[in-house]
Amino acid sequence: MTFVARTWNRLTIPGRVLLGLLLLGGLLTVGLALLIIFSEPILELLGANLPLVRFVAAATAVLLMTIPTAFLIIYMEMKIIALMNLRVGPDRVGPFGSLLSVVHGLKVLMKEDFTPTGADASVFTLAPVVTYLASVMTLLVIPFAPGLFGQDMNIALLYFFAISGLGVVGLLMGGWSSFNKYSLLGGLRSAAQVISYEVPLVLSVVGLLILAGTMSLNQLVLNQAGWFTDWYIWQQPLGFLIFFIAATAEANRTPFDLTEADSEIVAGFATEYSGMRFGFFFFAEYVNVFIVSALTVTLFFGGWNAPFPFPDIGLALDPGSLGIALLILVAVVPLVGILILALPFYLLRSSMPFWQALIIGFVLFNVVAVAAVLGWAFVSLEWVAGLLWFMLKTYSFVFIFVWMRGTLPRVRIDQLMGFAWKWLLPASLLNLFVTAAAVIVVRELRG
Amino acid sequence: MDPVFRRRLEARLGSKLSGPVRQRHDTTEIRIAAADVTDVLRTLHDDPEFRFTFLADLAGVDTGTVMQVVYHLWSDVTPDWLRVIADGLSRDDPRVPSVTFLWKGAEWQEREAYDMFGIVFEGNRDLRRIYMPPDYTSFPLRKDFFLADDAARSPGAGVRHMEQVHVPRGAPPASAVRRIPG
Amino acid sequence: MTATSRRPPADDPRVTLDEELGVFEPIPPYPPRTEREAEFYSLGDGEMFINMGPQHPSTHGVLRVVMKLDGEKVVDLDPVLGYLHRGVEKLCENADYHQTISQVDPLEYVSSLFNEWAPVMAYEQLLDIEVPRRAEYIRVLSGELNRISSHALFMGWMALDLGGLTPILWSFIERDEIVEMLAALTGQRMLFNYFRIGGVNGDLNHDFMSRLGDWMTRATQQIESNLTLLNENEIFVRRMRGLGTIDSETALRMCWTGPNLRATGLPFDVRRAHPYSVYPELDFDIPTRAEGDCLARYLLRLDEIKQSLRIIDQCLDRMPDGPIMAKLPRLLRPRPGRAYAAVEGPRGQYAAYAISDGTDQPFRLRIHDPSFIHLQSVGLLVPGHLIADTIAVMASLDPIMGGVDK
């Protein structure tokens, strides 16, 4: 062992990278060989445990999805708030600064991961993981599009509330273990806040559940198919308002971002965190924004349904049926397309050499081709259209969250608690009773 | 300048004044002994013919020979500022009664004067250093405190009430100190 | 020598720290020196100390406040100053009369013109100089502009301390235009160093006047429309109303001045109470509000901006021709004497007390700073409120740490 350690220490950094790559390559080769040799029993095993395989695949996909989602929302927030502040915002890295959040992510990765003296190291390390996992796990039940969801549970909504409530445990752990009074205050604030707002949050959807008669998010979305008038927002406007306000508090967003109130308690529970552990908190926060928006859309705004019944154009093109013509198309269309698109530039701009025109033609052709493929997918693949509508609606809500952050100051902790218990809770109870009464009356009238 | 006010001051405070009432530009100046500060300021504050309810400034002054505490007051009975100088505090042990019983806001100004000059305000319940660190031992605005290079050997010699002052060898001679008369 | 050279450098990763790293202990390591210190640094049941600053995002600089908390409620607090202390008064005693103007400039760095104005007025009294009327009008004009920019910044900070991100940048629009304007006039954006003993440094120029005229046509409307973002915001108003209330009598006992005092209902304004410069000739009101809470202090500054705009209008209207500097010798040696001069700064009475001993350096220059006085009252206003309110109260008093720490 000492020999290995000594050798490792003597290597230069490129040497270590090379050695690591070699080892990795060897492992992969061995694994691949094993996979090929035992392919038959493996496939059998997978086939026997299909739900499990599906679950693992979905979990991996969801886990990977959080990273671009968080990056996108962070970029949106930077850019939109900048525009509201009459600033330019990020504009250096990538087109319109769009890669800045990626750079932020890299920066966070490269920073020192620091544990303060006196902190409870194990709890301190575990806290961001708990918070992050709680928000990722809730993504599993969100139906993104027809057939595109992690798991279809009949108690999906219950599961959602149960798991999202776990996130606060992570914040509390982080706040308590940091050995910092600001962190402790932040952690306790978040505990008080999230537990208080959990009550109106859950109660505000009960009315909707009475109407829908199901807790499965998929079924809820299917119930809202048709015109946009079929969405639950029209039947539950008060429920939606309460849900949205409580969800803002759940996600710790302005004006309820007391847990990390930077002008009061510095950064709350995250004061002592640095490096990737801080990054996990950060990720979890933005993933939470996405999740809350997604759930709002799913419950009240028809999920992946289009706002109107989409006419079936009948353009169900099957590329396989074209046969040999497909090959010719693939070979000829790009050439012709590039030439046709390049021609006007070459003819109209006499100063332009032909190769520049060709480059422009090439770029334009790619744009057109991608647009065509997307359009085809949108029309003929149900899940693409569904995903598009879902994302459109969800990001509108993300925009509203960002907008609120740019506009509103923060409330005070006593006002926050008072608002939850004195206004939201009675209002959600009222909503529940009115809905229940209305359902009974309608049922009686219909006989 | 407000001669009526001057006569009124002389009539009311005549025995307490340690010098003539002086007037220049928009300021009337009286000098009193440190022991009379409580009485005189209370009279000026409470008496309905003066009504000096507003303490505009409280400053310590080291004249090079004595210490002074200077109060600037404002009232609606006269267009002048009233400058009250508590004169003749010894440089070795300057003591003066606090005015925090009239103006609570004088507390920090007295702390500042203590910090900078070593003037002890008796009755101020929070007479700590305010700008300099608590383990600092000299009084920077005194005239025997020299700047920058020679600050290290200028301890505000002679004052020993709260901090134990250490007088190093090579402290500047007393003749180097700037003075003003009175 | 050999011992030190053999010691490994501190950033060597192989070096481990033997001693335990210090954990902040707010209780001072010496016995209490005063009654108040003994009272503050003793904990009751369930109380804890928390140290806010000197590196805290919303203490407006380098203020440190030790707070005694019971849960989130502030039981008591002890502001600790001196982190920005530069000894300006001592420096001024060792500089000649002209040099002191640039020494006092960075005190209240958002309203530098007033920092210069008070000492310059005191020196003019010492020297018995009559300042030309055009210079006085220019002083009032630029001073009122500076007041508006300071108040605009205050409103932005106020919102930032309550958690709003946008208002500070919106108020920076006004401030930036004014600052650019003053830069055209004085040559600098922040520490103007513009007033001189006996006048001002330079006459009005075309750049300044065109910028000013451009801005004046839309100033009122723009400021009001910018601030509806806050004034009509329910969260903002609810947090500010009834917070940090003080009555006029207590305010006088705390030596308050300026907008903070006027928000309690007392119309005390040095420009009227003890007129200086050409203010007696100008027509403006002294806005007051009776509530004495944070919201009143905030709204009062809005009213003040409108009055300042009125004053600027009149200044432009009546600006006389003539010299901008009195005739003075290069080396100033005022005869021995004392002078006290106060101006109404954006934060209150800003005063200078100068003593001359007949040489070319002031014997003593005392700067009276309103931020210092107002900050003292935090200990009176805050106890009983929450941590968040501490920040709001402190912001509403508008202290500038450069002035507090001198």
Side-chain angles (χ1 to χ4, degrees):
Chain A
M1 208 60 224
T2 47
F3 170 74
V4 173
R6 203 181 300 149
T7 319
W8 179 255
N9 282 338
R10 279 182 189 168
L11 283 175
T12 56
I13 286 179
R16 285 180 199 179
V17 172
L18 202 66
L19 187 66
L21 284 179
L22 275 176
L23 286 176
L24 196 70
L27 272 177
L28 282 179
T29 320
V30 171
L32 205 62
L34 286 177
L35 205 66
I36 291 164
I37 293 167
F38 298 106
S39 61
E40 215 160 288
I42 288 175
L43 279 179
E44 221 165 82
L45 195 70
L46 289 183
N49 298 302
L50 204 58
L52 188 71
V53 172
R54 191 192 152 80
F55 176 76
V56 170
T60 316
V62 154
L63 206 61
L64 288 179
M65 198 197 112
T66 55
I67 296 166
T69 306
F71 281 166
L72 182 60
I73 298 179
I74 292 170
Y75 172 68
M76 268 176 78
E77 184 158 274
M78 287 192 290
K79 198 72 184 176
I80 291 171
I81 290 187
L83 293 177
M84 284 174 178
N85 288 352
L86 309 175
R87 291 184 281 125
V88 178
D91 70 336
R92 296 287 134 161
V93 194
F96 301 104
S98 54
L99 295 180
L100 186 62
S101 44
V102 179
V103 176
H104 276 179
L106 288 177
K107 176 197 75 176
V108 160
L109 270 174
M110 284 189 283
K111 277 191 165 178
E112 185 188 356
D113 218 354
F114 186 80
T115 309
T117 317
D120 189 331
S122 51
V123 182
F124 188 76
T125 315
L126 211 58
V129 180
V130 172
T131 310
Y132 184 62
L133 277 188
S135 52
V136 171
M137 278 164 75
T138 45
L139 265 181
L140 267 181
V141 292
I142 304 256
F144 292 95
L148 199 67
F149 48 82
Q151 201 75 13
D152 184 19
M153 296 186 204
N154 52 1
I155 50 154
L157 204 57
L158 205 60
Y159 167 86
F160 184 93
F161 288 133
I163 298 296
S164 71
L166 273 182
V168 69
V169 177
L171 303 191
L172 199 54
M173 281 162 70
W176 175 77
S177 64
S178 292
F179 197 59
N180 179 328
K181 288 164 186 168
Y182 286 108
S183 305
L184 185 65
L185 281 174
L188 291 177
R189 272 184 179 193
S190 72
Q193 174 181 336
V194 172
I195 289 167
S196 304
Y197 275 82
E198 201 98 314
V199 181
L201 182 75
V202 174
L203 278 179
S204 66
V205 254
V206 175
L208 188 144
L209 293 184
I210 291 175
L211 285 177
T214 175
M215 271 203 204
S216 158
L217 291 177
N218 256 317
Q219 194 54 48
L220 274 169
V221 174
L222 288 176
N223 283 358
Q224 302 179 67
W227 286 88
F228 63 92
T229 44
D230 294 329
W231 295 351
Y232 280 129
I233 168 80
W234 308 116
Q235 296 170 36
Q236 289 283 311
L238 184 61
F240 163 69
L241 259 179
I242 299 165
F243 178 85
F244 190 67
I245 294 171
T248 315
E250 281 279 308
N252 292 330
R253 294 289 296 179
T254 316
F256 304 116
D257 61 338
L258 284 115
T259 54
E260 51 203 282
D262 54 337
S263 65
E264 299 157 19
I265 50 172
V266 194
F269 59 88
T271 305
E272 294 288 356
Y273 279 92
S274 63
M276 202 51 214
R277 274 183 274 191
F278 176 73
F280 270 124
F281 274 131
F282 213 62
F283 266 16
E285 187 192 326
Y286 286 99
V287 172
N288 268 336
V289 172
F290 178 80
I291 289 169
V292 164
S293 312
L295 194 68
T296 315
V297 166
T298 309
L299 291 182
F300 295 99
F301 286 86
W304 37 258
N305 286 311
F308 44 88
F310 214 66
D312 190 9
I313 307 175
L315 227 161
L317 205 67
D318 185 8
S321 65
L322 289 174
I324 196 76
L326 185 68
L327 273 180
I328 299 170
L329 268 180
V330 166
V332 171
V333 164
L335 284 176
V336 177
I338 290 171
L339 283 179
I340 288 176
L341 287 169
L343 207 59
F345 288 94
Y346 185 60
L347 293 180
L348 293 179
R349 299 280 304 275
S350 57
S351 61
M352 186 178 277
F354 75 95
W355 56 271
Q356 271 185 13
L358 274 183
I359 289 174
I360 291 174
F362 178 74
V363 171
L364 279 181
F365 177 76
N366 276 313
V367 171
V368 169
V370 168
V373 168
L374 279 183
W376 169 77
F378 185 75
V379 171
S380 51
L381 291 183
E382 203 186 7
W383 64 270
V384 173
L387 190 65
L388 211 68
W389 283 118
F390 180 81
M391 287 297 175
L392 196 69
K393 292 176 191 172
T394 305
Y395 277 100
S396 319
F397 274 94
V398 172
F399 171 76
I400 291 177
F401 278 118
V402 173
W403 186 10
M404 290 205 301
R405 172 137 193 218
T407 314
L408 296 177
R410 192 177 299 122
V411 300
R412 207 165 57 203
I413 183 87
D414 57 330
Q415 294 170 339
L416 175 95
M417 305 299 272
F419 188 58
W421 294 105
K422 287 183 200 155
W423 293 98
L424 286 187
L425 185 61
S428 55
L429 284 176
L430 179 77
N431 180 51
L432 173 59
F433 289 132
V434 169
T435 314
V439 165
I440 289 171
V441 167
V442 167
R443 195 179 293 160
E444 289 299 315
L445 283 181
R446 279 185 187 160
Chain B
M1 276 195 266
D2 185 0
V4 182
F5 175 58
R6 173 185 188 162
R7 281 195 291 280
R8 213 189 287 166
L9 271 178
E10 278 164 350
R12 186 77 175 75
L13 300 170
S15 58
K16 299 268 169 57
L17 301 180
S18 61
V21 179
R22 291 185 209 172
Q23 287 188 319
R24 186 179 175 192
H25 291 293
D26 58 355
T27 313
T28 305
E29 178 181 306
I30 59 173
R31 285 171 189 252
I32 55 175
D36 293 334
V37 165
T38 315
D39 282 348
V40 170
L41 287 186
R42 196 199 295 274
T43 311
L44 290 172
H45 181 274
D46 293 343
D47 197 322
E49 87 181 296
F50 290 128
R51 301 201 294 273
F52 280 96
T53 48
F54 178 60
L55 176 70
D57 186 25
L58 188 156
V61 172
D62 179 10
T63 65
T65 45
V66 289
M67 295 292 221
Q68 298 174 335
V69 178
V70 182
Y71 307 87
H72 285 92
L73 306 176
W74 180 88
S75 153
D76 52 358
V77 299
T78 167
D80 280 12
W81 296 110
L82 175 63
R83 179 184 303 141
V84 181
I85 301 181
D87 204 357
L89 281 63
S90 103
R91 294 190 82 234
D92 295 334
D93 186 17
R95 277 170 192 280
V96 74
S98 164
V99 292
T100 44
F101 70 96
L102 286 174
W103 295 283
K104 182 114 192 348
E107 193 174 291
W108 277 18
Q109 300 183 59
E110 289 181 349
R111 277 178 72 181
E112 190 193 347
Y114 165 70
D115 191 4
M116 293 293 144
F117 294 95
I119 300 169
V120 173
F121 291 85
E122 288 164 334
N124 185 329
R125 57 192 295 270
D126 195 20
L127 202 65
R128 284 177 282 161
R129 286 197 175 270
I130 192 162
Y131 288 145
M132 310 309 285
D135 53 351
Y136 197 74
T137 51
S138 11
F139 299 105
L141 274 182
R142 290 171 75 109
K143 285 292 165 186
D144 48 7
F145 183 103
F146 288 83
L147 261 190
D149 320 338
D150 39 22
R153 45 192 181 81
S154 54
V159 181
R160 334 184 157 268
H161 25 79
M162 285 215 174
E163 283 91 8
Q164 194 59 41
V165 175
H166 154 74
V167 187
R169 210 175 297 158
S175 59
V177 173
R178 268 170 89 191
R179 290 196 175 86
I180 49 168
Chain C
M1 201 60 211
T2 48
T4 50
S5 59
R6 231 182 276 144
R7 175 187 269 179
D11 56 348
D12 190 329
R14 284 170 303 186
V15 172
T16 53
L17 286 169
D18 290 337
E19 68 262 44
E20 192 73 13
L21 284 172
V23 174
F24 172 75
E25 184 57 65
I27 300 177
Y30 44 81
R33 292 156 185 237
T34 61
E35 211 182 309
R36 160 83 185 143
E37 197 176 9
E39 174 199 306
F40 181 78
Y41 288 103
S42 58
L43 283 178
D45 193 26
E47 294 173 346
M48 71 168 180
F49 285 120
I50 195 165
N51 185 45
M52 186 183 265
Q55 289 101 0
H56 188 275
S58 48
T59 48
H60 289 216
V62 282
L63 169 65
R64 174 180 159 213
V65 183
V66 185
M67 291 198 286
K68 200 198 276 185
L69 295 184
D70 180 11
E72 280 239 2
K73 201 203 267 171
V74 180
V75 179
D76 203 349
L77 50 78
D78 185 25
V80 181
L81 308 183
Y83 289 90
L84 201 58
H85 181 57
R86 291 149 291 180
V88 168
E89 290 178 3
K90 189 73 177 177
L91 292 174
C92 288
E93 287 175 16
N94 290 274
D96 76 23
Y97 282 97
H98 295 297
Q99 288 167 342
T100 55
I101 298 169
S102 54
Q103 297 280 18
V104 297
D105 239 346
L107 286 176
E108 287 201 346
Y109 41 78
V110 299
S111 54
S112 304
L113 284 178
F114 295 93
N115 302 355
E116 299 160 17
W117 204 343
V120 162
M121 264 167 61
Y123 296 158
E124 281 155 4
Q125 285 184 22
L126 284 178
L127 290 156
D128 294 311
I129 307 174
E130 184 81 7
V131 180
R133 279 176 54 76
R134 184 174 173 83
E136 288 285 21
Y137 268 101
I138 293 176
R139 282 183 184 182
V140 171
L141 174 63
S142 53
E144 294 301 327
L145 278 174
N146 201 346
R147 189 192 308 278
I148 295 174
S149 75
S150 168
H151 282 345
L153 197 62
F154 158 79
M155 285 160 190
W157 271 344
M158 184 88 232
L160 190 68
D161 284 351
L162 295 185
L165 294 176
T166 305
I168 186 159
L169 285 135
W170 285 28
S171 62
F172 253 90
I173 304 170
E174 298 312 313
R175 179 178 157 76
D176 220 52
E177 286 195 42
I178 296 174
V179 158
E180 285 292 334
M181 223 182 273
L182 290 174
L185 179 65
T186 67
Q188 298 190 54
R189 280 174 57 93
M190 199 159 167
L191 310 174
F192 305 109
N193 198 3
Y194 180 57
F195 291 177
R196 292 286 180 272
I197 303 163
V200 291
N201 189 20
D203 207 343
L204 302 178
N205 53 32
H206 176 74
D207 194 1
F208 171 76
M209 291 305 276
S210 62
R211 278 171 190 272
L212 179 62
D214 187 30
W215 178 73
M216 283 295 282
T217 51
R218 59 195 151 79
T220 320
Q221 194 194 358
Q222 196 169 325
I223 286 170
E224 276 184 16
S225 71
N226 278 0
L227 291 165
T228 47
L229 185 64
L230 286 181
N231 296 350
E232 292 169 13
N233 189 322
E234 190 66 19
I235 296 176
F236 181 76
V237 173
R238 265 175 191 264
R239 276 198 64 178
M240 304 275 283
R241 187 178 287 144
L243 176 65
T245 314
I246 190 169
D247 58 284
S248 56
E249 188 144 327
T250 320
L252 265 185
R253 282 191 181 276
M254 296 307 290
C255 300
W256 278 25
T257 47
N260 295 344
L261 179 64
R262 290 196 285 279
T264 66
L266 266 182
F268 177 85
D269 186 321
V270 183
R271 290 176 291 182
R272 284 282 187 251
H274 190 99
Y276 57 94
S277 195
V278 289
Y279 281 113
E281 302 168 18
L282 298 171
D283 175 35
F284 62 98
D285 301 330
I286 302 173
T288 55
R289 277 175 188 268
E291 299 88 3
D293 55 1
C294 289
L295 188 66
R297 292 198 273 277
Y298 165 79
L299 291 175
L300 192 93
R301 285 171 161 92
L302 265 184
D303 302 340
E304 286 219 333
I305 288 183
K306 288 170 198 156
Q307 296 303 322
S308 291
L309 287 171
R310 265 177 81 186
I311 296 176
I312 292 171
D313 256 341
Q314 294 171 42
C315 280
L316 290 172
D317 193 33
R318 301 180 188 177
M319 182 71 68
D321 278 336
I324 52 158
M325 272 293 280
K327 290 213 174 348
L328 281 178
R330 184 59 60 89
L331 193 64
L332 298 178
R333 291 182 192 275
R335 62 192 170 87
R338 298 169 183 239
Y340 179 79
V343 295
E344 178 73 19
R347 268 155 281 279
Q349 180 208 231
Y350 191 96
Y353 171 47
I355 304 180
S356 157
D357 61 345
T359 62
D360 60 341
Q361 297 174 332
F363 182 78
R364 164 113 170 89
L365 179 66
R366 151 84 179 164
I367 303 288
H368 175 90
D369 191 287
S371 299
F372 181 71
I373 305 294
H374 292 148
L375 188 64
Q376 181 177 4
S377 314
V378 172
L380 187 80
L381 299 181
V382 168
H385 289 295
L386 303 173
I387 299 178
D389 296 334
T390 315
I391 307 294
V393 169
M394 225 145 47
S396 79
L397 296 175
D398 195 14
I400 301 296
M401 288 314 289
V404 173
D405 276 351
K406 280 200 262 246

